[in-house]
Amino acid sequence: MILSLLDKKARLLSELRDEGIKDKDVLAAIAAIPREDFIPKALRSQAYENAALPINSGQTISQPFVVAFMTAVLGISKKHKVLEVGTGSGYQSVVLAKLCRRLFTIERHLPLLNGATEMFKKLNVFNVTTLFGNGMKGWPEQAPFDRIMVTAASEEIPELLLQQLKVGGIMVIPIGAQGKTQHIIRITRREDEFMEENLMPVKFVPLLPGIVHES
Ligand code: SAH
């Protein structure tokens, strides 16, 4: 049986529900966004597999379950100013942008950032501001943020990002070395105390310093 992309999207949404994603706003965002437009054309038929896929510059678009999980555990509202580090394809950015007031997203590969910016325009997503730079440093001019999501794995929690989190704010970030098991960590700021929860094992591309102009 040949399934259409629409059938495959419905199957993916039901898989996500079965895997424990209950947040209706997150599921609605995933239902509304054409993931096939964020990946290389040759992989179009795989757009709604629950799998990470390669994008340009040797990076990956995260697995839909991981996108849904990280978004749900961030607890975003329409009042929030959110920072994303690792724009990549821009898919996770659009999920966040649909749920928050304003999204600031940073990418260190210029060709990826340009591609993502095109997608924001194409999908009429107007509440995203982009920056070509090293997201480990955050975005001091726009800080503090209600929520921060990092979509590349770091061995340590970047101190500068902690400083840019509002009191009461939440950050999710994959922590761990490459080649080892990494974990999604959720950090909640209470004044100058940071509460850490280890939520789930994952595998992410690395959070790296510096910027890259070409793919
Ligand atoms: N959220 C993306 C996932 C992309 S993979 C998506 O939905 O497609 C992680 C991305 O983080 C890659 O594009 C990588 O280039 C970027 N990245 C890694 N280190 C970074 C840094 N220090 N600052 C900004 N982006 C970074």
Side-chain angles (χ1 to χ4, degrees):
M1 186 175 60
I2 298 174
L3 292 180
S4 69
L5 281 183
L6 215 62
D7 293 333
K8 289 181 181 172
K9 188 186 249 188
R11 185 181 64 186
L12 172 66
L13 284 161
S14 107
E15 265 175 53
L16 295 178
R17 277 187 219 101
D18 290 348
E19 286 179 323
I21 305 297
K22 305 268 184 265
D23 189 315
K24 290 202 168 48
D25 296 331
V26 173
L27 291 168
I30 288 177
I33 302 169
R35 190 170 186 255
E36 64 274 25
D37 291 355
F38 291 83
I39 58 175
K41 287 212 164 45
L43 301 176
R44 206 179 146 80
S45 67
Q46 297 173 47
Y48 295 103
E49 301 296 323
N50 197 2
L53 294 169
I55 54 174
N56 290 335
S57 308
Q59 304 304 309
T60 54
I61 179 171
S62 306
Q63 181 191 352
F65 174 72
V66 173
V67 170
F69 181 85
M70 287 180 79
T71 311
V73 299
L74 204 51
I76 304 174
S77 90
K78 276 282 173 199
K79 292 185 181 159
H80 286 157
K81 180 177 184 181
V82 179
L83 174 68
E84 178 192 30
V85 175
T87 318
S89 67
Y91 178 77
Q92 171 77 74
S93 319
V94 177
V95 174
L96 292 169
K98 282 187 174 290
L99 304 176
C100 74
R101 177 167 56 84
R102 180 128 223 119
L103 178 72
F104 295 85
T105 184
I106 310 176
E107 171 57 53
R108 67 185 287 277
H109 276 109
L110 187 57
L112 286 177
L113 192 63
N114 289 338
T117 305
E118 290 274 301
M119 284 305 301
F120 304 149
K121 270 198 214 129
K122 183 177 163 193
L123 298 179
N124 293 328
V125 175
F126 300 119
N127 60 338
V128 181
T129 310
T130 61
L131 180 69
F132 171 47
N134 172 6
M136 287 177 181
K137 298 180 186 163
W139 196 325
E141 299 81 5
Q142 291 297 341
F145 299 96
D146 297 287
R147 299 289 185 264
I148 299 178
M149 180 186 287
V150 182
T151 67
S154 176
E155 293 197 21
E156 312 253 309
I157 300 168
E159 178 61 36
L160 290 170
L161 292 183
L162 289 179
Q163 289 172 12
Q164 292 175 32
L165 196 56
K166 267 188 200 166
V167 173
I170 300 175
M171 167 155 93
V172 288
I173 177 168
I175 294 290
Q178 289 297 305
K180 297 209 174 140
T181 309
Q182 306 151 358
H183 289 93
I184 303 267
I185 306 292
R186 176 166 61 184
I187 299 150
T188 307
R189 177 169 194 171
R190 308 204 195 292
E191 299 296 336
D192 280 331
E193 268 184 11
F194 294 89
M195 193 189 86
E196 279 180 37
E197 297 161 274
N198 183 334
L199 301 181
M200 188 175 70
V202 277
K203 193 166 179 286
F204 268 87
V205 295
L207 187 72
L208 296 171
I211 50 174
V212 185
H213 282 88
E214 310 283 333
S215 39

